[in-house]
Amino acid sequence: MGFNEAYKVWRNQARRYTVASLIEKALQLIRRPAADKVEALRIAPWQLLLMVKWACQDRMANLRVGEEIPDQKFDELRQHLWDLPSVCDLWARDTLPGQLFFRQLIRPQIDYQRRPTPGMLREAALLATQPGNSRLRRQFTDKTGLGVEQFMGMAYAVYSEVSHGAVDFNNDSFAALRERYSGQAVEAFVRNISLDFDGLVGMFRDLPDAGEKVASEYYESSPLRRFPLFRVGNELLLWHPTVLYRGLEGFVHSVLAEEGQAY
């Protein structure tokens, strides 16, 4: 069985339930407190985020109205996704040397084991060394509504809060940043790193791989790195600390790359 066919079997099972309920269940599990780092890794955040992606990309699924997924059925979907390598051809599995295949297999989990550091702002710091009228700086400001120094200051503030255990944010969370940078700048920052439900679905459906699935998708990092916060009403929910760390780490490149050849 090819990967796309195996994906369709999983998708058809998930399609019975609303996308909103699948997202809610994934959020509950991925944000569940863990006793230690080993237990946190056993949650397999990459797998839950892949389930969110696939659920959102299914244009035949009910978004909000319909049957909500029970815990048991969600666990079954997780198990089917986990078993995917045993039921389909996962991209040259039989021809890769053992060490390379193992590296490929653990690739999506590695990001969750890399220790976060303030060095995640290296890209932004490099951009900040460019002259104030440089093309790249102008492109960044045009795309984000922020100066790169503003982005660095707010990104570090959020990074620090998350590093000390914060998992949710609201209007009050950014009071100090509003005083320092302005309310408009904070709104621009939040808009650039968060999506609401409709934005989340739209983002996933606009991805190039939304139509036909290929095996490499099983090993890739989640596109949610670009938008690590989920807007629910006036609340901002953190998908996972590492999703935020990796997202801020590559934010400048991600934003500028959206300009295509101009970048």
Side-chain angles (χ1 to χ4, degrees):
M1 179 184 295
F3 185 82
N4 193 54
E5 289 71 26
Y7 153 76
K8 288 179 179 178
V9 172
W10 185 95
R11 180 204 63 192
N12 292 342
Q13 294 172 346
R15 181 178 286 173
R16 295 176 52 191
Y17 311 102
T18 65
V19 174
S21 68
L22 281 158
I23 291 175
E24 181 179 2
K25 199 70 67 178
L27 269 170
Q28 290 174 357
L29 290 173
I30 203 170
R31 289 156 52 90
R32 184 177 63 195
D36 52 45
K37 292 182 179 179
V38 174
E39 183 180 338
L41 290 175
R42 285 176 177 161
I43 294 174
W46 67 270
Q47 185 197 52
L48 292 166
L49 296 180
L50 183 57
M51 291 175 70
V52 169
K53 176 184 178 182
W54 284 358
C56 288
Q57 287 180 327
D58 184 5
R59 296 179 181 271
M60 297 296 290
N62 293 319
L63 294 179
R64 296 181 175 89
V65 180
E67 184 178 355
E68 297 186 355
I69 189 167
D71 291 344
Q72 179 183 350
K73 293 300 181 180
F74 190 87
D75 290 342
E76 289 176 6
L77 280 176
R78 288 193 72 186
Q79 188 62 50
H80 290 163
L81 183 58
W82 192 262
D83 292 339
L84 221 57
S86 65
V87 299
C88 66
D89 180 18
L90 280 186
W91 191 47
R93 175 181 57 185
D94 298 328
T95 59
L96 279 177
Q99 184 178 4
L100 290 180
F101 177 64
F102 179 71
R103 286 177 60 188
Q104 181 190 67
L105 194 61
I106 66 171
R107 170 67 183 85
Q109 189 73 15
I110 289 296
D111 276 348
Y112 298 91
Q113 297 179 225
R114 281 201 291 131
R115 184 171 61 89
T117 71
M120 66 180 183
L121 294 178
R122 178 175 178 272
E123 282 186 3
L126 288 173
L127 181 59
T129 64
Q130 298 294 308
N133 63 345
S134 76
R135 179 183 297 178
L136 289 180
R137 286 182 69 121
R138 292 199 307 270
Q139 286 179 348
F140 182 83
T141 299
D142 290 344
K143 289 286 293 184
T144 65
L146 294 167
V148 65
E149 291 84 2
Q150 290 178 315
F151 167 75
M152 290 174 64
M154 287 185 273
Y156 186 80
V158 172
Y159 155 80
S160 180
E161 290 292 322
V162 171
S163 297
H164 287 86
V167 294
D168 298 330
F169 298 90
N170 55 37
N171 290 332
D172 294 337
S173 304
F174 301 108
L177 293 178
R178 286 190 180 89
E179 291 182 6
R180 181 172 182 180
Y181 296 106
S182 81
Q184 183 179 4
V186 171
E187 289 174 9
F189 177 72
V190 170
R191 185 173 62 248
N192 275 282
I193 65 169
S194 67
L195 289 173
D196 60 11
F197 178 81
D198 293 327
L200 184 74
V201 173
M203 183 272 290
F204 279 128
R205 290 184 178 180
D206 287 341
L207 292 175
D209 63 10
E212 184 169 348
K213 299 299 174 185
V214 293
S216 59
E217 187 176 0
Y218 197 77
Y219 309 115
E220 293 169 355
S221 297
S222 174
L224 279 173
R225 292 182 304 171
R226 176 65 178 82
F227 299 99
L229 297 179
F230 184 41
R231 292 201 304 269
V232 180
N234 293 323
E235 299 289 320
L236 290 166
L237 310 182
L238 182 71
W239 284 102
H240 190 276
T242 301
V243 176
L244 176 80
Y245 302 147
R246 301 287 86 85
L248 296 179
E249 186 177 72
F251 181 81
V252 170
H253 172 71
S254 296
V255 166
L256 293 179
E258 292 170 3
E259 289 294 294
Q261 289 299 318
Y263 174 45

